[in-house]
Amino acid sequence: MNLTLFGQLASFALFSYLVYRFLWDPITNMLEERRKRVADGLAAAERGQREQELAEKHAREVLLEAKEQANEIIANAQRRADEIVEGAKDDARIEGERIVSAARSEVDQQINLAREGLRREVVALAIEGAEQVLKRKIDAKTNSEALEKLAAQL
Amino acid sequence: MSGLLPDSSNPVEYIQHHLVNLSIGEGFWAIHLDTLFISWLLGGAIIYAGYRVGRDLSLERPSGMQNILEAVLEFVDDLVRSVLGRGHTMIGTLAMTAFLWVLLMNLMDMIPVDLIPWLVGLFGADHFRAVPTADPQAPLGMALLVFVLMLYYNIRIKGFYQYMMEFLTHPFGIWLFPINFVMKLIEEIAKPLSLGLRLFGNLFAGELGFLLVALLPFWVQPVPGTIWLLFHLLVVVLQAFIFMVLTVMYLALAHMGHEEH
């Protein structure tokens, strides 16, 4: 045991202090900062992943909604088309019926007209026949009233 | 030249010559210049490298040396935490310094035993021991610092009274206090002694092994030399590691009451 021992003791203390000063303290701080940064990075990554999941979910929802809307639109259009076709059919039928009934009434009118004409001719013929038969006995002017009645009865 | 190094044909003289330090002063006042010089050189290298690394630490891209020092620091820190349950700057720093420094000092043993003595012999030094840890002064000096810190922490953490009570009541209870006191005293003193002497003994044996190999004829030396070198390389690293672990253990124990350990 001599002075060397105490020299070594002092050296150990001094070097330890310098190691603390130059290495331990800075490296410990740096490691702490690195730990924090890694933790932050992981947290950010997790947050990003969660956000992505949310966005994907949102996108799925939007897509689903769009599909539903499209289906609805298609169904509406189908219904509308059916309605239009149905309406057109009805219109056509009504129009047809109208045309048919118009034609029919025209026909009736013509028939009536023809009948009227015939009647007049029949009346005229009858009168003429009666005139021929009753040439002298019946005065056309005095008996015209009776003849009109007869004509109306025909 | 023949005056600087002893003839290896006289084994006893050869070995004895290698076991004398380059020193000035006598008795207690002797200073081993070789031990102090080499240990300062290696300590200085650690501090210089530490200063270079610590000056610009890189958070994202640590350099090679920074990686090594970070790994050592984290290893020591983990050890302190596992023993003490929390980090401790003083213990950690001391243990890290001890590990790096002792490792480098031990590795001086890997340099051929006659090379450095021959080199300094050219400058007129008649003796030179290149391995500081093979000189009992160095490891015991370091162990003494650990011992002083042990006492300091024991008294600071537990208080002088509590620490004395440990001396008087541990392990046999208060009625056998003289025996307790002696046993505890031996236990406490044995700590730094075993810490220092274990390191010294191993390195001394290693140096002696190399000296014995060096005494063999040169054509025999390679085989036993290589075997001893490989074996001793393990010992050198292991002893540095053990010194570090025990430093942590002793200083951590000083922080705990004896009911805790």
Side-chain angles (χ1 to χ4, degrees), chain B residues 89-206:
Chain B
T89 307
M90 175 77 174
I91 298 177
T93 309
L94 212 67
M96 182 177 173
T97 312
F99 177 71
L100 293 173
W101 200 24
V102 169
L103 182 67
L104 286 189
M105 289 195 284
N106 287 356
L107 282 172
M108 291 304 287
D109 222 359
M110 298 292 118
I111 296 171
V113 279
D114 276 322
L115 181 63
I116 295 177
W118 174 72
L119 273 177
V120 290
L122 294 180
F123 295 96
D126 49 350
H127 296 280
F128 200 89
R129 295 186 67 188
V131 189
T133 40
D135 175 2
Q137 308 296 332
L140 284 175
M142 295 175 73
L144 191 59
L145 179 64
V146 175
F147 181 64
V148 170
L149 287 170
M150 261 170 62
L151 289 179
Y152 167 73
Y153 278 123
N154 263 316
I155 291 169
R156 209 192 83 176
I157 304 290
K158 299 167 186 170
F160 185 75
Y161 174 76
Q162 186 64 37
Y163 189 42
M164 276 303 112
M165 285 308 281
E166 260 182 43
F167 268 81
L168 296 177
T169 62
H170 181 72
F172 294 127
I174 189 67
W175 299 113
L176 287 172
F177 70 88
I179 300 171
N180 290 339
F181 188 83
V182 171
M183 285 192 73
K184 180 76 176 173
L185 199 66
I186 292 170
E187 188 189 321
E188 293 294 272
I189 290 173
K191 281 176 183 173
L193 270 180
S194 69
L195 181 65
L197 288 178
R198 177 183 295 107
L199 181 59
F200 158 69
N202 276 281
L203 269 290
F204 185 77

Side-chain angles (χ1 to χ4, degrees), chain A residues 3-4 11 16 30 34 37, chain B residues 28 32 40 59-60 70 93:
Chain A
L3 266 187
T4 313
S11 310
S16 292
M30 192 269 300
R34 184 185 289 166
R37 195 177 285 194
Chain B
F28 177 78
H32 296 169
W40 268 81
L59 194 87
E60 267 126 21
E70 264 181 37
T93 309

Side-chain angles (χ1 to χ4, degrees), chain A residues 42-56:
Chain A
L42 285 176
E46 205 167 315
R47 205 161 50 237
Q49 200 167 0
R50 210 167 48 238
E51 273 167 11
Q52 196 196 345
E53 273 169 16
L54 278 179
E56 271 176 15

Side-chain angles (χ1 to χ4, degrees), chain A residues 74-139:
Chain A
I74 288 173
N76 278 341
Q78 198 87 44
R79 203 162 54 239
R80 187 84 192 99
D82 286 352
E83 274 172 16
I84 288 170
V85 168
E86 214 54 46
K89 269 184 192 166
D90 286 354
D91 285 356
R93 202 178 57 245
I94 290 166
E95 182 68 12
E97 278 169 4
R98 202 176 52 78
I99 290 170
V100 168
S101 65
R104 193 165 286 156
S105 62
E106 180 93 353
V107 168
D108 287 352
Q109 211 176 339
Q110 290 297 328
I111 289 172
N112 285 342
L113 225 65
R115 193 176 283 164
E116 194 70 19
L118 283 174
R119 196 167 55 216
R120 281 183 203 282
E121 266 177 56
V122 169
V123 170
L125 282 175
I127 290 171
E128 201 170 334
E131 251 177 3
Q132 303 253 318
V133 175
L134 306 170
K135 208 144 194 176
R136 279 133 323 196
K137 292 179 188 173
I138 300 168
D139 187 350

